[in-house]
């Protein structure tokens, strides 16, 4: 590892604070498992104080205890991100009891699979409520506190499906495409006030939501052939991108969607 960079006769020491999240508070929605848990842990390891959100207090308490056992600073804030009044109240409580939210990871999401001509209204409404409405509700509630402070990071979790469709998940694709453009809209409105709002778009990762696909040998074979990297992603591989978008390293990055997909969207 290089300890210093040489320019002429001077030594320039690397800036180790560029990716540091020390002293910053990060609210992570959908944090009790999967990508949310991984990102909460990852940001915590870079110094952030983590606020874990989800609907189920017991699951959040178990997650908090696990992170605390790893030496991380974590608290819980259970509320339903699809309920705007609950979101507003929950964010106000975090700001009052724990302190300013510096980083928001807008992660909560669900999946429903069915042929489009047979897709139920109930499943459509559930996808819109969780994958799109919640991003707006939580993003707006948090931004109302960030804007007067003139700083803040919002990372909306998009998807490879923000760009590409696949049979059986057209409504999910619609929600993630909308989140991509909502991210751009948030940046357009709020960047001038000192906020950075970006998207993090995972490709196909080994998560609980994808466990049936992981177990499907035919699908896995197709995925490995379709993805230039030739494999599924591991959730820990999302942490670096999340830390970048949450830190000072991305101070002039706004309205961008960072694909972490093994090259899938770069290849036909």
């Amino acid at each position: 590892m290089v300890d210093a960079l040489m320019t002429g006769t001077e030594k320039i020491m690397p800036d180790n604070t560029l990716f540091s999240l020390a002293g910053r508070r990060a609210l992570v929605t959908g944090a009790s498992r999967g990508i949310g848990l991984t990102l909460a842990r990852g940001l915590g390891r870079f110094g952030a104080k983590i606020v874990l959100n989800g609907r189920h207090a017991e699951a959040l308490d178990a997650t908090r205890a696990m992170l605390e056992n790893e030496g991380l600073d974590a608290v819980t804030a259970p509320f339903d991100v699809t309920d705007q009044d609950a979101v507003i109240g929950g964010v106000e409580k975090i700001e009052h009891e724990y302190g300013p939210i510096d980083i928001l990871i807008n992660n909560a999401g669900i999946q429903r699979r069915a042929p489009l001509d047979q897709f139920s209204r109930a499943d459509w409404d559930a996808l819109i409520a969780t994958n799109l409405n919640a991003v707006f509700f939580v993003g707006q509630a948090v931004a109302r506190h960030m804007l007067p402070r003139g700083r803040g990071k919002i990372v909306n979790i998009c998807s490879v499906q923000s760009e590409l469709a696949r049979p059986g998940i057209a409504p999910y694709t619609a929600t993630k495409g909308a989140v991509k453009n909502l991210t751009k809209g948030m940046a357009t409105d709020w960047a001038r006030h000192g906020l950075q709002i970006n998207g993090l778009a995972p490709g196909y990762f080994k998560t609980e939501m994808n466990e049936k696909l992981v177990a499907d040998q035919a699908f896995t074979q197709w995925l490995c052939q379709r993805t230039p990297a030739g494999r599924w992603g591991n959730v820990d591989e999302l942490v670096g991108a999340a830390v970048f978008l949450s830190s000072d390293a991305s101070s002039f990055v706004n309205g961008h969607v960072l694909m972490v997909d093994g090259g899938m969207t770069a290849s036909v």
Side-chain angles (χ1 to χ4, degrees), residues 49-85:
K49 301 175 181 180
I50 305 302
V51 182
L52 304 165
N53 165 260
R55 288 180 298 171
H56 304 296
E58 291 183 1
L60 290 177
D61 286 340
T63 301
R64 176 189 52 76
M66 179 174 60
L67 295 182
E68 287 182 340
N69 286 338
E70 297 173 12
L72 303 180
D73 187 332
V75 296
T76 65
F79 56 82
D80 183 354
V81 292
T82 69
D83 180 336
Q84 189 173 27
D85 290 337

Short mmCIF file of all heavy atoms in Angstrom, two decimals, residues 49-85:
data_model
loop_
_atom_site.label_atom_id
_atom_site.label_comp_id
_atom_site.label_asym_id
_atom_site.label_seq_id
_atom_site.Cartn_x
_atom_site.Cartn_y
_atom_site.Cartn_z
N LYS A 49 -23.32 6.88 12.53
CA LYS A 49 -24.28 6.45 13.54
C LYS A 49 -25.54 6.03 12.79
O LYS A 49 -26.10 6.82 12.03
CB LYS A 49 -24.59 7.59 14.50
CG LYS A 49 -23.36 8.12 15.23
CD LYS A 49 -23.72 9.34 16.07
CE LYS A 49 -22.49 9.89 16.77
NZ LYS A 49 -22.83 11.09 17.59
N ILE A 50 -26.00 4.81 13.00
CA ILE A 50 -27.05 4.24 12.18
C ILE A 50 -28.41 4.30 12.88
O ILE A 50 -28.53 3.95 14.05
CB ILE A 50 -26.73 2.77 11.82
CG1 ILE A 50 -25.36 2.68 11.14
CG2 ILE A 50 -27.81 2.19 10.91
CD1 ILE A 50 -25.23 3.49 9.88
N VAL A 51 -29.42 4.73 12.13
CA VAL A 51 -30.82 4.66 12.57
C VAL A 51 -31.50 3.63 11.69
O VAL A 51 -31.63 3.82 10.48
CB VAL A 51 -31.52 6.02 12.46
CG1 VAL A 51 -32.96 5.91 12.97
CG2 VAL A 51 -30.76 7.09 13.23
N LEU A 52 -31.92 2.54 12.30
CA LEU A 52 -32.52 1.42 11.58
C LEU A 52 -34.03 1.60 11.50
O LEU A 52 -34.70 1.76 12.53
CB LEU A 52 -32.21 0.10 12.30
CG LEU A 52 -30.74 -0.22 12.53
CD1 LEU A 52 -30.61 -1.33 13.57
CD2 LEU A 52 -30.06 -0.62 11.23
N ASN A 53 -34.58 1.57 10.29
CA ASN A 53 -36.02 1.70 10.12
C ASN A 53 -36.61 0.44 9.50
O ASN A 53 -36.00 -0.21 8.66
CB ASN A 53 -36.36 2.88 9.22
CG ASN A 53 -37.80 2.83 8.73
OD1 ASN A 53 -38.06 2.42 7.60
ND2 ASN A 53 -38.74 3.20 9.58
N GLY A 54 -37.82 0.13 9.92
CA GLY A 54 -38.62 -0.95 9.36
C GLY A 54 -39.97 -0.92 10.06
O GLY A 54 -40.20 -0.10 10.96
N ARG A 55 -40.85 -1.82 9.66
CA ARG A 55 -42.18 -1.84 10.27
C ARG A 55 -42.23 -2.64 11.55
O ARG A 55 -43.11 -2.42 12.40
CB ARG A 55 -43.20 -2.40 9.28
CG ARG A 55 -43.53 -1.47 8.13
CD ARG A 55 -44.53 -2.11 7.19
NE ARG A 55 -44.00 -3.32 6.58
CZ ARG A 55 -44.71 -4.18 5.85
NH1 ARG A 55 -46.00 -3.97 5.67
NH2 ARG A 55 -44.14 -5.23 5.31
N HIS A 56 -41.31 -3.60 11.72
CA HIS A 56 -41.41 -4.56 12.82
C HIS A 56 -40.33 -4.27 13.86
O HIS A 56 -39.14 -4.48 13.63
CB HIS A 56 -41.28 -5.98 12.29
CG HIS A 56 -42.29 -6.30 11.23
ND1 HIS A 56 -43.65 -6.32 11.47
CD2 HIS A 56 -42.14 -6.59 9.91
CE1 HIS A 56 -44.30 -6.62 10.35
NE2 HIS A 56 -43.40 -6.78 9.39
N ALA A 57 -40.78 -3.78 15.02
CA ALA A 57 -39.85 -3.35 16.07
C ALA A 57 -38.97 -4.49 16.56
O ALA A 57 -37.78 -4.29 16.83
CB ALA A 57 -40.65 -2.76 17.24
N GLU A 58 -39.52 -5.70 16.67
CA GLU A 58 -38.73 -6.82 17.19
C GLU A 58 -37.58 -7.17 16.25
O GLU A 58 -36.46 -7.43 16.70
CB GLU A 58 -39.63 -8.04 17.41
CG GLU A 58 -40.61 -7.88 18.57
CD GLU A 58 -41.43 -9.13 18.80
OE1 GLU A 58 -41.22 -10.13 18.08
OE2 GLU A 58 -42.28 -9.12 19.72
N ALA A 59 -37.86 -7.17 14.95
CA ALA A 59 -36.80 -7.46 13.99
C ALA A 59 -35.72 -6.39 14.03
O ALA A 59 -34.52 -6.68 13.95
CB ALA A 59 -37.39 -7.57 12.58
N LEU A 60 -36.13 -5.13 14.17
CA LEU A 60 -35.16 -4.04 14.25
C LEU A 60 -34.32 -4.14 15.53
O LEU A 60 -33.11 -3.88 15.50
CB LEU A 60 -35.88 -2.69 14.23
CG LEU A 60 -36.53 -2.29 12.91
CD1 LEU A 60 -37.26 -0.96 13.09
CD2 LEU A 60 -35.52 -2.18 11.79
N ASP A 61 -34.94 -4.53 16.63
CA ASP A 61 -34.20 -4.68 17.88
C ASP A 61 -33.13 -5.76 17.75
O ASP A 61 -32.01 -5.60 18.25
CB ASP A 61 -35.15 -5.02 19.03
CG ASP A 61 -35.98 -3.83 19.48
OD1 ASP A 61 -35.57 -2.68 19.19
OD2 ASP A 61 -37.03 -4.05 20.11
N ALA A 62 -33.47 -6.85 17.07
CA ALA A 62 -32.49 -7.92 16.87
C ALA A 62 -31.34 -7.43 16.00
O ALA A 62 -30.16 -7.75 16.26
CB ALA A 62 -33.17 -9.13 16.23
N THR A 63 -31.65 -6.66 14.97
CA THR A 63 -30.61 -6.11 14.10
C THR A 63 -29.73 -5.13 14.87
O THR A 63 -28.50 -5.14 14.74
CB THR A 63 -31.25 -5.40 12.90
OG1 THR A 63 -32.05 -6.34 12.17
CG2 THR A 63 -30.18 -4.84 11.97
N ARG A 64 -30.36 -4.27 15.66
CA ARG A 64 -29.59 -3.31 16.47
C ARG A 64 -28.62 -4.04 17.40
O ARG A 64 -27.44 -3.66 17.49
CB ARG A 64 -30.53 -2.43 17.29
CG ARG A 64 -29.80 -1.48 18.24
CD ARG A 64 -30.76 -0.79 19.19
NE ARG A 64 -31.63 -1.72 19.89
CZ ARG A 64 -31.25 -2.49 20.91
NH1 ARG A 64 -30.01 -2.43 21.36
NH2 ARG A 64 -32.12 -3.31 21.48
N ALA A 65 -29.11 -5.08 18.08
CA ALA A 65 -28.25 -5.83 19.00
C ALA A 65 -27.07 -6.46 18.27
O ALA A 65 -25.94 -6.46 18.78
CB ALA A 65 -29.08 -6.90 19.71
N MET A 66 -27.32 -6.97 17.08
CA MET A 66 -26.26 -7.58 16.29
C MET A 66 -25.20 -6.56 15.92
O MET A 66 -23.99 -6.81 16.04
CB MET A 66 -26.85 -8.22 15.03
CG MET A 66 -25.82 -8.85 14.11
SD MET A 66 -26.61 -9.73 12.74
CE MET A 66 -27.52 -8.40 11.97
N LEU A 67 -25.63 -5.37 15.47
CA LEU A 67 -24.68 -4.34 15.08
C LEU A 67 -23.92 -3.80 16.29
O LEU A 67 -22.72 -3.52 16.21
CB LEU A 67 -25.40 -3.20 14.35
CG LEU A 67 -26.04 -3.56 13.01
CD1 LEU A 67 -26.68 -2.33 12.38
CD2 LEU A 67 -25.04 -4.19 12.05
N GLU A 68 -24.60 -3.66 17.41
CA GLU A 68 -23.93 -3.20 18.61
C GLU A 68 -22.87 -4.20 19.06
O GLU A 68 -21.80 -3.81 19.53
CB GLU A 68 -24.93 -2.95 19.73
CG GLU A 68 -25.77 -1.70 19.52
CD GLU A 68 -26.74 -1.44 20.66
OE1 GLU A 68 -27.03 -2.40 21.41
OE2 GLU A 68 -27.21 -0.29 20.79
N ASN A 69 -23.15 -5.48 18.91
CA ASN A 69 -22.17 -6.51 19.25
C ASN A 69 -20.93 -6.44 18.35
O ASN A 69 -19.86 -6.92 18.72
CB ASN A 69 -22.79 -7.91 19.15
CG ASN A 69 -23.73 -8.21 20.30
OD1 ASN A 69 -23.64 -7.59 21.37
ND2 ASN A 69 -24.64 -9.15 20.10
N GLU A 70 -21.10 -5.84 17.17
CA GLU A 70 -19.98 -5.64 16.26
C GLU A 70 -19.26 -4.32 16.51
O GLU A 70 -18.35 -3.94 15.78
CB GLU A 70 -20.48 -5.69 14.81
CG GLU A 70 -21.07 -7.03 14.41
CD GLU A 70 -21.72 -7.00 13.03
OE1 GLU A 70 -21.52 -6.02 12.28
OE2 GLU A 70 -22.44 -7.96 12.70
N GLY A 71 -19.69 -3.61 17.56
CA GLY A 71 -19.05 -2.35 17.92
C GLY A 71 -19.58 -1.14 17.19
O GLY A 71 -18.96 -0.07 17.23
N LEU A 72 -20.75 -1.27 16.55
CA LEU A 72 -21.31 -0.17 15.78
C LEU A 72 -22.36 0.58 16.60
O LEU A 72 -22.98 0.02 17.51
CB LEU A 72 -21.91 -0.69 14.48
CG LEU A 72 -20.95 -1.48 13.58
CD1 LEU A 72 -21.66 -1.95 12.32
CD2 LEU A 72 -19.72 -0.65 13.24
N ASP A 73 -22.58 1.84 16.25
CA ASP A 73 -23.54 2.71 16.93
C ASP A 73 -24.86 2.63 16.18
O ASP A 73 -24.97 3.11 15.04
CB ASP A 73 -22.99 4.14 16.93
CG ASP A 73 -23.84 5.10 17.76
OD1 ASP A 73 -25.06 4.85 17.91
OD2 ASP A 73 -23.30 6.11 18.24
N ALA A 74 -25.88 2.02 16.79
CA ALA A 74 -27.16 1.83 16.10
C ALA A 74 -28.32 2.03 17.06
O ALA A 74 -28.26 1.64 18.22
CB ALA A 74 -27.23 0.44 15.48
N VAL A 75 -29.38 2.66 16.54
CA VAL A 75 -30.65 2.80 17.25
C VAL A 75 -31.76 2.42 16.27
O VAL A 75 -31.52 2.25 15.08
CB VAL A 75 -30.86 4.23 17.78
CG1 VAL A 75 -29.81 4.59 18.81
CG2 VAL A 75 -30.86 5.24 16.62
N THR A 76 -32.97 2.29 16.79
CA THR A 76 -34.09 1.90 15.93
C THR A 76 -35.14 2.99 15.86
O THR A 76 -35.31 3.79 16.78
CB THR A 76 -34.75 0.61 16.45
OG1 THR A 76 -35.35 0.85 17.73
CG2 THR A 76 -33.74 -0.52 16.56
N ALA A 77 -35.85 3.01 14.72
CA ALA A 77 -36.95 3.95 14.50
C ALA A 77 -38.01 3.23 13.68
O ALA A 77 -38.08 3.39 12.46
CB ALA A 77 -36.47 5.20 13.79
N PRO A 78 -38.87 2.43 14.34
CA PRO A 78 -39.88 1.69 13.60
C PRO A 78 -41.05 2.57 13.17
O PRO A 78 -41.66 3.25 13.99
CB PRO A 78 -40.34 0.61 14.61
CG PRO A 78 -40.04 1.19 15.95
CD PRO A 78 -38.86 2.10 15.78
N PHE A 79 -41.30 2.62 11.87
CA PHE A 79 -42.52 3.24 11.33
C PHE A 79 -42.72 2.74 9.91
O PHE A 79 -41.80 2.22 9.28
CB PHE A 79 -42.47 4.77 11.39
CG PHE A 79 -41.30 5.42 10.70
CD1 PHE A 79 -41.29 5.63 9.32
CD2 PHE A 79 -40.20 5.85 11.43
CE1 PHE A 79 -40.22 6.26 8.69
CE2 PHE A 79 -39.13 6.47 10.81
CZ PHE A 79 -39.13 6.67 9.43
N ASP A 80 -43.95 2.86 9.44
CA ASP A 80 -44.34 2.36 8.13
C ASP A 80 -44.05 3.42 7.07
O ASP A 80 -44.68 4.48 7.06
CB ASP A 80 -45.82 2.00 8.14
CG ASP A 80 -46.32 1.41 6.82
OD1 ASP A 80 -45.55 1.37 5.84
OD2 ASP A 80 -47.49 0.98 6.77
N VAL A 81 -43.10 3.15 6.18
CA VAL A 81 -42.70 4.15 5.19
C VAL A 81 -43.77 4.40 4.14
O VAL A 81 -43.67 5.37 3.37
CB VAL A 81 -41.37 3.75 4.50
CG1 VAL A 81 -40.22 3.80 5.49
CG2 VAL A 81 -41.47 2.38 3.83
N THR A 82 -44.81 3.58 4.07
CA THR A 82 -45.89 3.81 3.12
C THR A 82 -46.98 4.72 3.67
O THR A 82 -47.91 5.08 2.96
CB THR A 82 -46.53 2.48 2.67
OG1 THR A 82 -47.26 1.90 3.76
CG2 THR A 82 -45.48 1.50 2.17
N ASP A 83 -46.86 5.10 4.94
CA ASP A 83 -47.83 5.95 5.62
C ASP A 83 -47.18 7.33 5.81
O ASP A 83 -46.30 7.50 6.64
CB ASP A 83 -48.20 5.33 6.97
CG ASP A 83 -49.21 6.14 7.76
OD1 ASP A 83 -49.32 7.37 7.54
OD2 ASP A 83 -49.89 5.56 8.62
N GLN A 84 -47.62 8.32 5.03
CA GLN A 84 -46.94 9.62 5.06
C GLN A 84 -46.97 10.27 6.43
O GLN A 84 -45.97 10.86 6.86
CB GLN A 84 -47.55 10.56 4.02
CG GLN A 84 -46.75 11.84 3.84
CD GLN A 84 -47.25 12.70 2.70
OE1 GLN A 84 -48.42 12.67 2.34
NE2 GLN A 84 -46.35 13.49 2.11
N ASP A 85 -48.08 10.18 7.13
CA ASP A 85 -48.15 10.77 8.47
C ASP A 85 -47.17 10.09 9.42
O ASP A 85 -46.50 10.75 10.23
CB ASP A 85 -49.56 10.68 9.02
CG ASP A 85 -50.53 11.60 8.30
OD1 ASP A 85 -50.08 12.60 7.70
OD2 ASP A 85 -51.75 11.32 8.32
#
